[in-house]
Amino acid sequence: MAGHSKWANIKHKKARADAKRGKAFSTVTKEIIVAVKMGGGDPKMNPQLRLAITKAKAINLPNENIERNIKKAQSKDQSNFDEVAYEVYGKGGVGIICRGLTDNKNRTASDMRIASNKRGGTIAAPGSVSFNFEKMGIMQIEKKDVDGDKLFEQALESGAVDFSDEPEEVFIVTTNPEDLYKVKDSLEEKGYKINDPSLDMVPKTLIECSDEDKEKNLALIEYIEDLDDLDQVFHNMQL
């Protein structure tokens, strides 16, 4: 029975990993479509599309899929996606921000109501949670074979506003939202490989809560992350 349980657990983990990979493909495909509709299909002239393509390649979305979606986005028949954002209170006063792209706002709103009913969150009025967060550009650079002091100087020279070497495997470079693409391009020209550049909601302060509340909040966050239309979930819970 122990062996059976272990195998069932492995299959469950693999299924979750496959689902997350499929959702990542779907998310970056929507980002490509939105970028093309906003700024055209030439990545050289459209930094938002250039970033979406970078993210697509980072998760190994095939080049033919990227090119096909760029062409599809230029068609008048391709529906556009609207940005949506929800603010949620979890247990213990923890704030949660959910963002995504959807072609059906009513469906997404219904999914969020179901999530809060099933997992105990409370949907809040716009602004009541987000004032505790700050929108920033974030990018990661692997530490292997990188001189941290040199990267720090070059990141600041390129326009970054913060730099951290706290994670064990990567340096974190933080920028103002409008400078993300500029700093990314500048560091890449200097030979750095940028991982996962994104615009994130960074909490100004972190909230400590009980283990029970933490477990419930994580269950709510995981549920929301699995929703098709919501691609980013940020929180200010101390882990």
Side-chain angles (χ1 to χ4, degrees):
M1 288 298 292
H4 173 77
S5 298
K6 181 180 179 182
W7 173 239
N9 190 44
I10 291 171
K11 286 196 296 183
H12 174 70
K13 286 182 178 179
K14 183 180 185 301
R16 281 198 59 81
D18 289 345
K20 285 186 178 295
R21 185 167 182 264
K23 183 174 181 181
F25 280 4
S26 173
T27 297
V28 79
T29 294
K30 289 190 287 186
E31 290 179 0
I32 288 171
I33 291 171
V34 170
V36 171
K37 285 190 172 292
M38 289 182 65
D42 183 356
K44 293 180 181 178
M45 303 298 294
N46 185 344
Q48 186 174 345
L49 175 59
R50 193 159 65 245
L51 178 59
I53 292 173
T54 299
K55 292 169 70 174
K57 289 182 176 179
I59 61 172
N60 298 316
L61 184 69
N63 284 332
E64 56 266 28
N65 289 34
I66 295 173
E67 293 169 5
R68 183 169 65 249
N69 281 294
I70 290 174
K71 289 180 181 178
K72 187 167 71 171
Q74 293 171 315
S75 167
K76 292 181 180 179
D77 295 332
Q78 172 63 48
S79 60
N80 200 2
F81 293 92
D82 295 313
E83 290 188 16
V84 290
Y86 294 92
E87 301 182 24
V88 180
Y89 282 118
K91 300 295 183 181
V94 167
I96 302 169
I97 296 178
C98 318
R99 295 187 349 197
L101 296 167
T102 181
D103 58 355
N104 188 326
K105 289 184 177 181
N106 290 334
R107 178 187 65 225
T108 311
S110 175
D111 286 344
M112 277 301 301
R113 285 194 295 271
I114 293 170
S116 64
N117 289 336
K118 284 191 172 183
R119 293 293 183 264
T122 302
I123 297 177
S128 57
V129 171
S130 59
F131 81 96
N132 281 317
F133 291 76
E134 190 172 12
K135 191 175 185 179
M136 302 296 291
I138 304 290
M139 62 190 81
Q140 302 176 16
I141 299 171
E142 292 184 10
K143 288 184 176 180
K144 185 179 179 182
D145 300 326
V146 171
D147 183 330
D149 291 335
K150 185 177 180 181
L151 171 60
F152 172 71
E153 291 179 5
Q154 292 180 325
L156 293 184
E157 289 172 359
S158 300
V161 297
D162 201 2
F163 178 88
S164 174
D165 62 356
E166 274 192 18
E168 292 184 5
E169 298 180 351
V170 296
F171 295 108
I172 304 294
V173 176
T174 304
T175 74
N176 289 318
E178 64 273 14
D179 293 333
L180 175 63
Y181 308 119
K182 181 188 75 173
V183 175
K184 172 185 171 294
D185 290 347
S186 176
L187 291 177
E188 285 182 333
E189 287 173 4
K190 293 176 172 62
Y192 296 104
K193 182 181 178 183
I194 308 299
N195 294 333
D196 196 26
S198 59
L199 292 171
D200 292 353
M201 300 299 291
V202 179
K204 297 176 183 177
T205 56
L206 296 174
I207 293 179
E208 292 189 14
C209 56
S210 68
D211 289 342
E212 181 181 354
D213 284 348
K214 191 179 299 184
E215 188 175 328
K216 290 179 179 178
N217 287 335
L218 289 173
L220 171 62
I221 290 166
E222 184 175 293
Y223 188 98
I224 294 171
E225 285 178 335
D226 284 340
L227 297 177
D228 290 339
D229 295 331
L230 295 170
D231 311 315
Q232 294 178 304
V233 182
F234 306 99
H235 65 83
N236 61 354
M237 180 169 57
Q238 177 75 57
L239 295 175

